[in-house]
Amino acid sequence: VAFHLYPVRKTTDGGRTWQYSGDGVSGCRRGTRTSIAFRPDDPKKMVFFFIDHGSALTTDDGDTFVYCPPPRQADLGAMTTAVGAYDPTPGSRKLISAVGGWTQQRLCLSEDDGKTWAVQRDMIGNFQFLAFHPQQPNIVYAGRSADSLRSRDGGKTWQTLARPIKAIFLGNGDTVFAARRLDQSGWESEVLRSTDQGDTWTPLPG
């Protein structure tokens, strides 16, 4: 099963055929690899996070969507929610996202599948990656353009990490990955790995 935008289309046969799957979603676009939050214990339930327009929830495998955006952040420019993630705890309805403009957003949390949101006014950045630790969901990673934030209390408080997290190893959420530019052009970079939740980093060979 895979999804494509725009509009929302779905394949259930590995990409051989595609069907329209976007009632209730129009004119929206996604921006990053964590812009769909999949509900781990319910494959028909997911939230799509969109540039400019906030977020939308589907509980029927993408056949229909309900609009559920966080509050607009007028001082940051808009209602972009480029990233988001679901708490993987069975039965949880907790979501994390970031809402604002294209380059600056605030973290926000929902405990009810996006019906209501609590915006964290001081947690600002250009967020490009969000993930809950698969084995310890109280740990949350929020990758920004130049660094990252980590929470060990489910998103209530945050600590700054030196590297911008880009990916997490689902088999062990203590292991995360980042990238570092080696020149000004940005054409040459190296991949770094942390096995202690982002406290220390080691470049991968090559």
Side-chain angles (χ1 to χ4, degrees):
V1 177
F3 288 87
H4 160 269
L5 294 173
Y6 345 61
V8 181
R9 292 188 175 92
K10 180 174 66 176
T11 177
T12 58
D13 55 13
R16 287 185 290 276
T17 61
W18 295 83
Q19 294 182 334
Y20 175 75
S21 183
D23 285 357
V25 174
S26 175
C28 295
R29 60 189 172 129
R30 297 187 302 109
T32 75
R33 25 185 149 7
T34 55
S35 57
I36 299 180
F38 295 96
R39 181 67 245 154
D41 53 356
D42 185 352
K44 292 187 176 183
K45 184 177 181 181
M46 64 203 82
V47 178
F48 284 44
F49 295 93
F50 295 110
I51 302 296
D52 291 342
H53 296 287
S55 49
L57 165 73
T58 177
T59 59
D60 54 15
D61 207 16
D63 289 336
T64 61
F65 286 84
V66 176
Y67 194 42
C68 57
R72 184 182 184 93
Q73 303 300 298
D75 60 320
L76 297 183
M79 221 161 56
T80 284
T81 54
V83 291
Y86 251 125
D87 175 358
T89 304
S92 175
R93 301 173 65 197
K94 184 175 183 177
L95 287 160
I96 185 170
S97 184
V99 59
W102 287 3
T103 58
Q104 291 284 295
Q105 309 91 36
R106 289 187 175 96
L107 288 178
C108 53
L109 292 168
S110 173
E111 301 282 351
D112 54 11
D113 291 329
K115 290 182 179 179
T116 60
W117 294 88
V119 178
Q120 299 180 335
R121 302 235 6 127
D122 295 335
M123 295 295 102
I124 298 177
N126 185 5
F127 291 96
Q128 301 177 354
F129 177 87
L130 283 174
F132 285 85
H133 190 298
Q135 294 78 35
Q136 302 178 63
N138 59 303
I139 298 171
V140 192
Y141 300 106
R144 299 189 285 195
S145 55
D147 60 9
S148 295
L149 300 174
R150 181 190 61 211
S151 173
R152 286 178 167 160
D153 56 12
K156 296 177 183 177
T157 60
W158 299 87
Q159 300 82 45
T160 302
L161 305 177
R163 303 297 180 192
I165 295 174
K166 303 290 187 183
I168 186 173
F169 175 41
L170 295 181
N172 180 352
D174 288 352
T175 300
V176 288
F177 298 87
R180 177 171 59 188
R181 290 183 178 180
L182 296 179
D183 63 359
Q184 284 297 105
S185 71
W187 286 104
E188 290 194 30
S189 301
E190 65 178 353
V191 177
L192 303 106
R193 177 175 59 203
S194 171
T195 58
D196 55 11
Q197 302 176 7
D199 286 330
T200 61
W201 296 89
T202 303
L204 297 183

